[in-house]
Amino acid sequence: MDDSSKTSLIKEGLPSAILLVILVIIGIVLDKMGQDIHWPGYLSMVLFYVVIFVVGTYAAHIGRQKQKDLNTDSTDTMMLAGRSVPLMMAVFTMSATWVGGGYINGTAEYAYNPDYGLVWAQAPWGYAISLILGGLFFAKKMRRHEFKTMLDPFERRYGKGVAGVLYLPALMGETFWTAAILTALGSTFGTVLGLDFTPSIILSAAVAIAYTALGGLWAVALTDMIQMVLLLVGLFLVLPFALDHVGGWDWAWQTYEKKMGPIASFLPSKAALGNYFYNWWDYAFLLMMGGIPWHVYFQRVLSSKDENTAQRLSIIAGLVCILAAIPASMIGIIGNVVDWTTVGLSQAPEAAQVLPNVVRYLTNPWVATIGLGAIAAAVMSSVDSSILSASSMAGWNVFRPLYSHFKKKEVEPKSLAKVIQGCIWIVGIAATLIALRKGSVYELWFLCSDFVYCILFPQLVLALYDKKANTIGSICGFIVAAILRFGGGESSLGIPDFFEYHKVFGMPELYDAKANKGLFPFRTLAMVSSLITIMVVSRLTQKISPPRSLEKTDV
């Protein structure tokens, strides 16, 4: 390493030292204000955040060096790491992105909850299958065309205006996903560290936003490697200590099966689901296919050095996601069968808090600290990926076309990279503010997942595979998907079930009167209807709206 590189690294190390001091001072202030902070755990988290920040700032140095070596522009470096991410690093960052705080907390929560059980813990295998399907049918094609974002095929096939509109559900999905993950972290820190919800979220978000803005995808990928290793080690380390409290796995599983009955299975059945059987499949398809059209996924695909690497990393990451779900599921089962009064609690914890409570009460302090680090790692690995994803689309698919339209010239790569950095702060702060509201975050996140499945998935499939798909077909498909989706109602927005699908299709059993909830799989109906609409309308309007090619053209 030459003297200039050493000097650069020393300068980049100063913010990390300042961060260390600031976090310690904040802890002291909060402690003086009356918060019962668990100092060993808090200091370990401070150390973890500083290490991650150091790695993130070092990644910024790597990015600049790679930019010189590969002769790539600033935008490519910020968004796609110069399309030079090695296979194993790509697998780690892809896996870490999906295996977030909501993923492991939610898996444990549903396995623990007596009203849901393993049969409703769909996210682990659903998202894993989405990664495998993405690798088989989407990754190679997207990488072959050298797109920069997921919205590029929309822009080329349907036009810049449609791509701008389709950015809205993509942005909402990424932002609310980030907020939901931060909410999970705030609740966890409150359980294990005695740290209030608000400072937990603000501190974690600030660190993640800062190193992402500094280093772009290199910072995200490099930190994700550390975070994913810590996540797997931490969760698997918790298991033997937790199992000691319930007499081993065999006893825990037998007790769980006896207690939960048919819902103690990942496989759906009428006995387990009753009238919710078709509703279960609606959510299953939402996860398996709706898990594909996210730029947070395609950013890793497009950063690969070639299309074969893009395919392999997606499939391998799907298998890693299943592996990460094993300890989370087991922790939920352990929490369900353990006698919580033996560890000092007067009653069993709420379902959403089972994972942090198992980490805190069923292990020793050192293992609990490592387990908490695993949860924090899972959260940060998803937060940094999501805010970079949304910001990349904002810069490339929204700001860049508007700039070229009004200025009549293309924006300089360095300027565009700075715009993306600014968007990282805007999106990150917006997600943090939403997370601080606590109340409706999860409902809004699931609603945005519906948008992605119902609206973006059919648009993406036909943009890539239907040469006759055109702008008018895309717009009509968007309208049909939105009407049919909202026609099924949405409690989080106070929208009633206008269409009452159970009556329209003569299936009164697909309505839960007690929960005032329709059980018809209208999300999948909306997605399929949108797909068919785009195909049919596009073929009827070929003369007035000629289809565009996916091939890159000079603008």
Side-chain angles (χ1 to χ4, degrees):
M1 184 181 293
D2 56 31
D3 290 341
S4 62
S5 296
K6 290 179 180 178
T7 303
S8 176
L9 289 176
I10 290 172
K11 288 181 179 179
E12 288 164 359
L14 289 176
S16 304
I18 295 171
L19 175 65
L20 174 63
V21 174
I22 290 174
L23 291 177
V24 172
I25 292 174
I26 289 174
I28 294 172
V29 172
L30 292 173
D31 191 58
K32 294 294 185 182
M33 291 173 63
Q35 292 197 33
D36 186 19
I37 294 178
H38 179 252
W39 275 102
Y42 181 79
L43 291 176
S44 69
M45 285 303 96
V46 168
L47 180 61
F48 166 69
Y49 280 1
V50 170
V51 169
I52 291 299
F53 189 80
V54 168
V55 173
T57 53
Y58 176 65
H61 172 78
I62 293 177
R64 289 192 294 270
Q65 191 60 49
K66 286 281 187 180
Q67 184 178 328
K68 293 178 182 178
D69 296 342
L70 299 173
N71 195 30
T72 57
D73 62 47
S74 304
T75 307
D76 255 3
T77 302
M78 171 64 68
M79 292 170 53
L80 301 172
R83 299 190 194 270
S84 59
V85 177
L87 175 60
M88 289 314 298
M89 181 182 287
V91 168
F92 272 102
T93 186
M94 179 77 85
S95 306
T97 297
W98 286 109
V99 185
Y103 183 98
I104 60 172
N105 276 287
T107 301
E109 174 185 347
Y110 273 67
Y112 168 86
N113 195 319
D115 295 327
Y116 293 101
L118 282 177
V119 73
W120 281 103
Q122 297 170 291
W125 58 263
Y127 281 134
I129 291 175
S130 78
L131 290 174
I132 294 171
L133 291 175
L136 293 174
F137 299 106
F138 295 88
K140 292 183 77 169
K141 199 170 185 71
M142 290 286 287
R143 181 63 183 86
R144 186 181 304 144
H145 283 281
E146 296 189 345
F147 296 132
K148 287 185 184 289
T149 75
M150 179 192 71
L151 295 180
D152 281 357
F154 299 152
E155 184 176 308
R156 292 190 193 177
R157 185 73 78 188
Y158 308 132
K160 293 180 179 178
V162 172
V165 172
L166 293 177
Y167 171 64
L168 295 177
L171 170 65
M172 291 173 66
E174 303 281 10
T175 305
F176 285 116
W177 183 24
T178 303
I181 294 166
L182 287 171
T183 302
L185 181 68
S187 300
T188 300
F189 273 30
T191 301
V192 182
L193 291 185
L195 193 62
D196 272 359
F197 184 86
T198 298
S200 300
I201 288 179
I202 293 175
L203 292 176
S204 304
V207 174
I209 294 168
Y211 73 69
T212 303
L214 282 171
L217 188 58
W218 274 115
V220 171
L222 204 57
T223 54
D224 278 355
M225 287 189 67
I226 297 173
Q227 290 157 354
M228 193 63 194
V229 170
L230 179 58
L231 168 66
L232 292 174
V233 171
L235 289 182
F236 277 105
L237 186 61
V238 165
L239 281 179
F241 291 90
L243 285 171
D244 278 345
H245 284 269
V246 293
W249 174 247
D250 289 340
W251 185 90
W253 177 247
Q254 290 172 11
T255 305
Y256 184 77
E257 276 192 309
K258 184 177 179 180
K259 183 177 179 181
M260 302 291 280
I263 63 174
S265 170
F266 281 112
L267 300 176
S269 66
K270 282 283 188 178
L273 299 167
N275 291 337
Y276 277 76
F277 183 78
Y278 297 107
N279 185 254
W280 185 96
W281 278 107
D282 198 23
Y283 281 109
F285 285 124
L286 185 153
L287 292 167
M288 290 187 287
M289 289 181 280
I292 296 171
W294 294 76
H295 183 53
V296 75
Y297 162 70
F298 282 113
Q299 194 154 38
R300 277 110 194 100
V301 166
L302 298 174
S303 68
S304 305
K305 62 180 181 180
D306 56 51
E307 60 187 71
N308 290 325
T309 302
Q311 184 179 62
R312 287 197 296 270
L313 81 89
S314 188
I315 294 172
I316 296 171
L319 300 176
V320 175
C321 284
I322 293 178
L323 176 65
I326 293 173
S329 301
M330 294 175 69
I331 287 172
I333 292 169
I334 292 168
N336 180 278
V337 300
V338 72
D339 182 359
W340 287 98
T341 61
T342 62
V343 294
L345 293 182
S346 58
Q347 60 183 11
E350 295 181 4
Q353 296 297 315
V354 64
L355 192 144
N357 274 281
V358 167
V359 170
R360 177 174 181 178
Y361 293 105
L362 304 187
T363 66
N364 64 49
W366 287 106
V367 174
T369 298
I370 297 173
L372 177 64
I375 298 171
V379 169
M380 294 189 75
S381 64
S382 294
V383 168
D384 57 16
S385 302
S386 192
I387 58 177
L388 177 62
S389 168
S391 303
S392 297
M393 290 187 290
W396 183 257
N397 295 108
V398 179
F399 176 81
R400 179 184 59 88
L402 289 174
Y403 183 93
S404 62
H405 176 75
F406 289 107
K407 296 289 187 180
K408 307 301 180 184
K409 63 179 181 179
E410 289 295 317
V411 61
E412 292 292 327
K414 285 186 177 180
S415 299
L416 185 56
K418 290 180 179 179
V419 169
I420 293 172
Q421 284 181 316
C423 289
I424 288 171
W425 283 99
I426 294 171
V427 173
I429 291 171
T432 304
L433 292 175
I434 294 169
L436 292 174
R437 293 180 58 199
K438 293 200 287 187
S440 60
V441 170
Y442 282 100
E443 291 180 345
L444 290 171
W445 175 39
F446 281 119
L447 176 60
C448 292
S449 298
D450 281 2
F451 288 166
V452 170
Y453 175 52
C454 299
I455 296 174
L456 294 184
F457 181 71
Q459 299 278 357
L460 178 64
V461 170
L462 296 179
L464 292 177
Y465 285 102
D466 186 1
K467 293 182 179 180
K468 293 187 176 182
N470 65 12
T471 303
I472 297 177
S474 172
I475 294 171
C476 291
F478 181 97
I479 294 171
V480 167
I483 291 174
L484 292 179
R485 168 60 189 88
F486 283 111
E490 180 51 51
S491 59
S492 64
L493 298 179
I495 299 175
D497 182 356
F498 289 113
F499 291 159
E500 296 186 307
Y501 288 106
H502 60 285
K503 292 183 179 179
V504 172
F505 289 92
M507 304 175 76
E509 70 276 10
L510 296 186
Y511 182 77
D512 186 342
K514 186 177 180 181
N516 192 26
K517 178 181 180 181
L519 306 180
F520 187 86
F522 62 89
R523 297 169 184 84
T524 299
L525 174 68
M527 186 276 289
V528 173
S529 299
S530 175
L531 191 78
I532 294 172
T533 299
I534 296 170
M535 294 175 66
V536 172
V537 173
S538 293
R539 280 155 177 77
L540 294 175
T541 58
Q542 293 288 288
K543 290 185 179 180
I544 59 176
S545 178
R548 298 176 171 89
S549 172
L550 272 186
E551 300 301 322
K552 187 175 182 180
T553 56
D554 295 329
V555 180

